[in-house]
């Protein structure tokens, strides 16, 4: 009798649990989220638009030796993250106190100024200064992640976080094409025959990026300036913001392990992002594919579009089916495959030319990015859940600081290792991939240490 009662009640209790508010998915705030994503789009547009031509822009400092281009191209790509690491934590903590909007406006203004300066640069060192300006004034990456975390809750966070890679993919689609097609316009378009465009051949793509950033600035002006706890009174909210935890109390184990994974993954990702255009632009006889800036732009743009669609369609489904930890581990494993596939592509191109087989293998290799990019959405979920109350901006600022250091080192290290491997013929010119494989193993060990079940953010 008792057992029968238990058997009849058990499914009834399960049904009730499913119907509780806790397990129902909260609808995403479409208007606020849409505005935020339009603003966030300015970041990949500004950063990725320089990739197709960075290896050709004012790098005559190498004295014509194309094997040494990697040293200086990587330095320029790294400078933004190096200078951002100095200030991004403070921008995050400031946003916890005064709100996100003022910090976003400062960052967007700095980004636009940097792009204009970049386009008007005529020497290597003016390129350096322009990237430093952008990094010092721009803490928006961490602030926008904080805003997204505030606009979502555990029931809909997977859907919300899927939009971050989508936005970056859209930017990665538009920006490389824009950078590749609009660079050196005097050679392509009859309306740009004036001497100015010959003297500043990369100003047009920089100007286009600055125009969109200005558009994002106007959108930001329309957004409300709210702190994390929007459901309480304004006076109480400001009081809570003023009580943000000191940094030492933010360094809990959940935060440390989540941020450590983010740092390791970002380091590897930036190494590959720097290698893609360098590998494609390097002459075939030196281990690359000998592609032009326009071709590089089309390839990277198509890759961005593919990744964006894949993330939108499958990220939330994969997370709900396999869990954040397993999706992360699978994505890290994909990076290991890259270290094998790129040398294989190079060998085939060297000995058989850039045939359809080479292009097919390159397409397959790049298509795996859709799986590896899912790692970041998973880590944003971990970091948001791990953040102590009233300190989400500080936690994201901390993660962005350490990640910026990794991203500052990654491109320069990768391109320098690429150049060194060719210059000294280390492991046949492929030593860079062996070194990245070791880094990937470390990242995998960190991923395994994450819990299978996300921490309950209400208990932290």
């Amino acid at each position: 009798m008792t057992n029968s009662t238990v058997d009849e009640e058990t499914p009834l209790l399960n049904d009730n649990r499913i119907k509780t508010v806790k397990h129902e998915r909260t609808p995403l705030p479409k208007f606020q989220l849409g505005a935020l994503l339009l603003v966030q789009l300015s970041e990949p547009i500004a950063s990725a638009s320089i990739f197709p031509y960075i290896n050709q822009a004012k790098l005559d400092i190498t004295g014509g030796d194309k094997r040494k281009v990697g040293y200086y191209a990587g330095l320029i790509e790294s400078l933004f993250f190096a200078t951002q690491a100095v200030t991004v934590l403070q921008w995050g903590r400031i946003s916890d106190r005064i709100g996100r909007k003022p910090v976003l406006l400062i960052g967007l203004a700095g980004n636009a100024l940097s792009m204009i300066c970049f386009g008007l640069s005529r020497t290597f060192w003016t390129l350096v200064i322009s990237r430093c300006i952008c990094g010092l004034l721009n803490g928006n990456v961490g602030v926008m992640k904080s805003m997204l975390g505030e606009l979502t809750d555990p029931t809909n966070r997977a859907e919300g976080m899927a939009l971050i890679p989508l936005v970056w993919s859209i930017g990665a689609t538009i920006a490389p094409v824009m950078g590749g097609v609009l660079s050196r316009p005097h050679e392509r378009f009859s309306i740009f025959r004036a001497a100015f465009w010959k003297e500043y051949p990369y100003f047009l793509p920089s100007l286009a990026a600055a125009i969109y950033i200005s558009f994002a600035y106007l959108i930001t002006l329309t957004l409300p300036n709210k702190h994390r706890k929007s459901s309480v009174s304004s006076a109480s909210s400001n009081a809570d913001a003023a009580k943000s935890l000191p940094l030492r109390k933010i360094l809990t184990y959940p935060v440390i392990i989540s941020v450590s994974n983010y740092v390791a993954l970002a380091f590897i990702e930036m190494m590959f992002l720097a290698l893609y255009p360098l590998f494609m632009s390097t002459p075939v006889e030196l281990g690359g594919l000998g592609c032009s800036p326009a071709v590089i732009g089309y390839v990277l743009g198509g890759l961005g579009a593919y990744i964006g669609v894949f993330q939108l369609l499958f990220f939330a489904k994969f997370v709900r089916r396999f869990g954040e930890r397993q999706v992360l581990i699978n994505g890290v494993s994909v990076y290991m495959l890259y270290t094998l596939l790129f040398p294989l592509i190079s060998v085939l191109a060297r000995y058989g030319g850039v045939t359809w087989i080479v292009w097919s293998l390159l397409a397959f290799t790049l298509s795996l990015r859709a799986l590896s990019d899912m790692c970041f959405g998973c880590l944003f979920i971990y970091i948001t859940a791990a953040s102590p109350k009233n300190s989400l901006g500080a936690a994201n600022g901390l993660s962005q600081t350490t990640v910026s250091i990794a991203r500052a080192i990654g491109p320069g290290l990768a391109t320098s290792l690429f150049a060194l491997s060719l210059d000294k013929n280390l492991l046949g010119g492929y030593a860079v991939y062996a070194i990245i494989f070791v880094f990937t193993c470390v990242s995998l060990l960190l991923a395994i240490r994450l819990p299978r079940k996300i921490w309950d953010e209400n208990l932290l």
Side-chain angles (χ1 to χ4, degrees), residues 301-322:
L303 175 64
Y306 157 73
I307 292 175
V309 173
F310 194 95
Q311 296 287 323
L312 182 63
L313 294 178
F314 299 110
F315 175 76
K317 294 179 181 178
F318 279 23
V319 167
R320 296 191 186 282
R321 174 65 179 85
F322 302 105

Side-chain angles (χ1 to χ4, degrees), residues 348-425:
L348 291 176
R350 273 184 173 183
Y351 294 99
V354 185
T355 64
W356 68 269
I357 297 177
V358 170
W359 281 111
S360 299
L361 187 56
L362 178 66
F364 169 73
T365 303
L366 295 179
S367 70
L368 295 176
R369 272 280 308 277
L371 297 177
S372 60
D373 269 29
M374 286 187 173
C375 296
F376 292 97
C378 296
L379 287 173
F380 298 154
I381 295 175
Y382 272 107
I383 293 173
T384 300
S387 302
K389 293 180 180 178
N390 302 324
S391 299
L392 181 58
N396 274 312
L398 174 65
S399 70
Q400 208 60 46
T401 297
T402 51
V403 163
S404 294
I405 295 172
R407 284 177 168 165
I409 299 171
L413 179 61
T415 55
S416 294
L417 287 172
F418 185 91
L420 184 64
S421 299
L422 294 179
D423 199 23
K424 305 298 182 182
N425 196 32

Side-chain angles (χ1 to χ4, degrees), residues 87-100 103 139-150 226-229 241 244-245 247 250 255 259 383-384 386-401:
T87 59
V88 69
L89 174 58
Q90 297 308 316
W91 287 126
R93 292 178 70 83
I94 290 171
S95 74
D96 280 336
R97 288 177 165 80
I98 68 174
R100 316 298 184 199
V103 177
N140 284 1
V141 175
V143 174
M144 284 188 281
K145 289 174 186 173
S146 298
M147 294 179 70
L148 185 56
E150 293 163 350
K226 293 182 179 181
H227 294 293
R228 185 176 190 182
K229 299 297 183 182
S244 297
L245 294 175
L247 184 59
I250 297 174
V255 170
V259 171
I383 293 173
T384 300
S387 302
K389 293 180 180 178
N390 302 324
S391 299
L392 181 58
N396 274 312
L398 174 65
S399 70
Q400 208 60 46
T401 297

Side-chain angles (χ1 to χ4, degrees), residues 261 264 268 332 336 436-447:
N261 271 275
I268 297 169
V332 174
M336 291 183 173
I436 295 177
F437 180 84
V438 175
F439 291 141
T440 306
C441 292
V442 174
S443 181
L444 185 60
L445 292 176
L446 287 171

Side-chain angles (χ1 to χ4, degrees), residues 289-341:
L289 298 181
C291 299
S292 67
V295 171
I296 296 172
Y298 290 133
V299 170
L300 297 183
L303 175 64
Y306 157 73
I307 292 175
V309 173
F310 194 95
Q311 296 287 323
L312 182 63
L313 294 178
F314 299 110
F315 175 76
K317 294 179 181 178
F318 279 23
V319 167
R320 296 191 186 282
R321 174 65 179 85
F322 302 105
E324 292 86 353
R325 181 176 178 271
Q326 190 59 51
V327 173
L328 175 62
I329 290 173
N330 291 342
V332 174
S333 300
V334 166
Y335 282 113
M336 291 183 173
L337 286 178
Y338 291 163
T339 62
L340 302 175
L341 291 172

